[in-house]
Amino acid sequence: MSDFKAIVDSSFDSGIPFWIYTSDYIFGMIPVDASGARWKEVSYTFEEPDNPLFVTERAADLSFQFLLEEVEKGVSFYVDDLKIPLIKEFAKTLEGKSGAEKMNTFIAELINNSSNYSSKLPIIKNKDELGTLTEKLK
């Protein structure tokens, strides 16, 4: 848990991360550096007693694919009013952009306009809300 808390606490150091939480897990995408070329994917699964924390690092293009899949398929299981067609439509507007641009633009869209996609999207919108994630571990 202390490893996870350290990741959460430093997640805004190189840019704006994406954090979402459900009753079963926490999922995050964190920029590794200010350029946004590489991203750290983090998941913490509550019902996994032996190894609840999973962390991997990927290039931005691949990270974008994983983020999109998580929101469209993983989160939709927990958020019954998630408007997947609108998310897909917005993602299509990012075609042709760099991986870093896709990640940063998509994350900003979900944070700033989350009500367009769901009335109850469980995301962290700013650094002040990070305590919500660590509270889930108790």
Side-chain angles (χ1 to χ4, degrees):
M1 181 169 93
S2 62
D3 289 346
F4 179 71
K5 185 169 177 355
I7 291 169
V8 169
D9 289 346
S10 65
S11 64
F12 277 84
D13 291 357
S14 295
I16 306 295
F18 177 80
W19 286 109
I20 195 155
Y21 52 92
T22 71
S23 55
D24 294 326
Y25 68 94
I26 296 170
F27 175 84
M29 283 283 191
I30 304 165
V32 173
D33 56 38
S35 74
R38 295 197 60 78
W39 290 73
K40 187 184 298 184
E41 177 183 334
V42 180
S43 64
Y44 191 98
T45 307
F46 303 128
E47 298 300 317
E48 187 64 48
D50 295 334
N51 194 12
L53 181 61
F54 171 80
V55 181
T56 191
E57 188 178 310
R58 297 187 180 96
D61 277 321
L62 192 54
S63 291
F64 179 70
Q65 291 172 20
F66 275 86
L67 176 57
L68 205 52
E69 184 172 335
E70 181 61 35
V71 171
E72 290 176 358
K73 296 184 177 144
V75 176
S76 63
F77 181 76
Y78 297 90
V79 179
D80 56 6
D81 72 341
L82 190 61
K83 298 178 179 112
I84 303 293
L86 288 180
I87 291 172
K88 288 181 177 182
E89 192 176 300
F90 182 79
K92 280 186 182 167
T93 68
L94 303 176
E95 288 176 8
K97 295 186 182 298
S98 72
E101 284 179 293
K102 287 177 184 175
M103 287 295 288
N104 289 317
T105 304
F106 188 72
I107 290 169
E109 174 68 11
L110 290 179
I111 288 173
N112 297 324
N113 300 306
S114 59
S115 61
N116 291 346
Y117 303 102
S118 168
S119 64
K120 52 190 174 223
L121 197 60
I123 62 173
I124 300 301
K125 295 185 177 186
N126 58 57
K127 198 171 187 172
D128 294 338
E129 296 180 0
L130 287 176
T132 303
L133 300 177
T134 50
E135 283 294 314
K136 294 265 179 207
L137 304 182
K138 295 178 180 175

